[in-house]
Amino acid sequence: MTHRTALLYKRIYEAWNYRLRNVADGHWAGYCRPTSIVFLLTERCNAKCLHCDIWKNTGREDSPQAEQWKQVVSDLRRWLGPVQIVFSGGEALMKPFTTDLAAHAVSEGLFLEVLTHGYWEDQSKIERLARTKLWKVTISLDGLGDTHTLVRGRPKFWERTLRSIETLQRIQKDERLNYTIRLKTVIMSHNLHEATEIARFGNVEGMEVFYQAIEQNYNTPDDANWYLNSENWPKDPALAVATVEKLIELKRQGHRIANSHQQLEAMVSYFRDPAASRVAIMTHNAHEARRSCSALTTLQLQANGDVTVCTGADRIGNVKQQPIREMWEKRPKLWESGCCLEKRCSASELSATVPASSLQASSAWNAPTEPSHDSPFVEKQ
């Protein structure tokens, strides 16, 4: 299959499964296949980010062996065709087999994205990754200069990350490789003054910038009111709103901002009233007009081999014990009963959420409620 044909297949595959959630009033939703396939290769990290607690994990991981991961990758390709998969963590490149696994995924014809913080003095990892000819490399970049180092919590983080970006650009140019370098920025209190500058920094050929709104720290128990006491939440939400509005304008001007307009507009609403879209931001679907169950299209493989389809539900199996396709096809139909949204969302978020036709919600789902007044960020009329 040529690259152009594979790319066309990928686009049709994603669009079809996205729409299948609601075709015929959701009666065919059970036939959906995964479109968000993420391998968390490790839950260890050598950064100490202010907005993440994964680095606090210690001890040995009971992870699948490299050959087991390769088998899963091959099984996915045979089952789904040339689709997109993501290697993440923790810090994915801490696993010694990651670049070899990446090369295997590319050889299978998958569209591979690898996430890394780029904090590597020895650039050989980055060079090997680039030469696998993967589809996309995403590097976390939460500021320019000292801001990035502050957020990431280790000395010379900016210098090392910048070196990794420059290595990727050099190999991309010299060896005429077509991967995209994506800079991923979390908008938070510490970098509001530099968020738009990152858009300008990344506005070059072969690069793009993707923004996310700050969430509750990763690897911490779910807390509906986390933003009330977090140093990461903007002290001046109006400034956060203005920052995102500037990004919307930069996108209109042609800057290489990968977010859709709907995704950026959803951030504006979130910074104005976090309680009204907290869970939607965490599940990365706040921009969708109607909320679908994550279990329809999400497939996440944990570092220990466990497989989940929703962050609010139990695992559906383990790749060390069952084939990936079998687990998917036998997974619980959470969209028909047991959806976690009614338990996790605030009253204001639930009342503002329009369930997709595939999501069988209780009669209380759309019961009208007043806006949440327990959030100090609700704008007064």
Side-chain angles (χ1 to χ4, degrees):
M1 185 182 296
T2 66
H3 178 77
R4 181 173 295 181
T5 302
L7 187 59
L8 178 61
Y9 175 95
K10 172 182 176 294
R11 290 172 177 169
I12 294 173
Y13 173 91
E14 291 172 350
W16 170 244
N17 283 284
Y18 180 85
R19 287 165 176 75
L20 194 59
R21 300 177 302 175
N22 300 307
V23 169
D25 291 328
H27 292 303
W28 290 1
Y31 293 100
C32 284
R33 290 184 172 185
T35 57
S36 175
I37 306 170
V38 180
F39 290 67
L40 300 182
L41 295 179
T42 178
E43 293 187 41
R44 303 292 183 266
C45 188
N46 56 345
K48 292 186 176 181
C49 300
L50 298 177
H51 58 299
C52 180
D53 282 15
I54 287 179
W55 59 270
K56 296 180 181 179
N57 292 336
T58 59
R60 184 177 179 181
E61 293 183 291
D62 182 22
S63 302
Q65 298 298 313
E67 292 305 314
Q68 291 175 299
W69 282 130
K70 286 183 180 181
Q71 185 63 55
V72 175
V73 167
S74 297
D75 289 347
L76 284 169
R77 175 61 175 84
R78 282 193 293 270
W79 171 33
L80 303 176
V83 298
Q84 178 184 352
I85 66 172
V86 179
F87 292 168
S88 185
E91 169 53 37
L93 291 180
M94 286 185 69
K95 286 292 187 182
F97 58 72
T98 297
T99 54
D100 186 42
L101 184 62
H104 177 73
V106 173
S107 71
E108 287 281 8
L110 292 163
F111 289 88
L112 175 66
E113 176 183 1
V114 176
L115 276 66
T116 176
H117 52 39
Y119 185 63
W120 301 107
E121 181 67 28
D122 178 2
Q123 289 289 290
S124 61
K125 290 177 183 283
I126 299 297
E127 292 171 350
R128 290 198 303 272
L129 182 63
R131 292 189 172 107
T132 65
K133 301 181 181 180
L134 74 175
W135 178 59
K136 183 179 294 181
V137 185
T138 295
I139 293 196
S140 300
L141 188 69
D142 294 312
L144 303 175
D146 292 344
T147 301
H148 184 61
T149 297
L150 169 69
V151 172
R152 292 281 149 176
R154 295 289 300 276
K156 297 184 178 180
F157 220 105
W158 160 250
E159 290 82 359
R160 293 188 182 183
T161 300
L162 180 60
R163 191 177 303 126
S164 292
I165 293 171
E166 291 172 344
T167 296
L168 289 168
Q169 288 179 303
R170 172 177 54 79
I171 295 176
Q172 183 188 59
K173 179 181 179 181
D174 292 350
E175 302 183 23
R176 299 182 180 180
L177 300 179
N178 293 322
Y179 57 76
T180 298
I181 304 168
R182 170 176 283 192
L183 308 179
K184 188 175 183 181
T185 301
V186 178
I187 300 174
M188 64 183 90
S189 61
H190 311 288
N191 64 6
L192 290 180
H193 60 295
E194 290 183 358
T196 55
E197 290 306 310
I198 294 173
R200 295 184 177 93
F201 175 83
N203 192 34
V204 296
E205 188 70 28
M207 194 178 291
E208 64 184 21
V209 184
F210 185 82
Y211 291 90
Q212 286 184 199
I214 184 66
E215 306 167 20
Q216 178 182 335
N217 274 34
Y218 302 121
N219 202 43
T220 57
D222 194 30
D223 178 5
N225 297 309
W226 70 271
Y227 51 86
L228 296 177
N229 301 303
S230 173
E231 293 296 320
N232 300 325
W233 183 259
K235 301 301 181 289
D236 182 1
L239 179 58
V241 169
T243 298
V244 178
E245 289 175 339
K246 289 178 183 176
L247 294 175
I248 293 172
E249 181 56 33
L250 287 174
K251 183 175 177 66
R252 289 197 184 104
Q253 294 172 10
H255 280 66
R256 293 173 171 85
I257 295 175
N259 303 76
S260 67
H261 285 285
Q262 292 89 343
Q263 287 172 327
L264 293 170
E265 291 289 355
M267 291 186 208
V268 170
S269 299
Y270 172 63
F271 282 122
R272 285 176 174 159
D273 183 8
S277 57
R278 179 186 70 89
V279 176
I281 287 291
M282 288 177 64
T283 54
H284 304 158
N285 59 10
H287 60 288
E288 296 186 14
R290 295 191 294 174
R291 190 78 65 86
S292 295
C293 180
S294 296
L296 288 171
T297 53
T298 298
L299 187 62
Q300 183 161 294
L301 297 91
Q302 306 295 131
N304 65 355
D306 282 348
V307 177
T308 62
V309 294
C310 172
T311 56
D314 293 335
R315 70 184 188 120
I316 62 171
N318 189 289
V319 297
K320 292 181 284 188
Q321 301 164 352
Q322 291 174 271
I324 191 68
R325 181 173 183 174
E326 178 183 313
M327 284 185 276
W328 178 263
E329 293 178 345
K330 292 182 178 179
R331 74 198 189 283
K333 296 182 178 181
L334 300 177
W335 56 94
E336 293 183 355
S337 62
C339 181
C340 66
L341 292 178
E342 291 184 77
K343 299 176 183 178
R344 299 175 66 194
C345 293
S346 67
S348 59
E349 182 167 5
L350 204 59
S351 66
T353 297
V354 180
S357 54
S358 58
L359 187 57
Q360 302 300 314
S362 73
S363 59
W365 183 282
N366 284 318
T369 63
E370 295 298 319
S372 173
H373 295 297
D374 56 350
S375 169
F377 305 105
V378 177
E379 290 189 333
K380 301 298 187 293
Q381 301 298 319

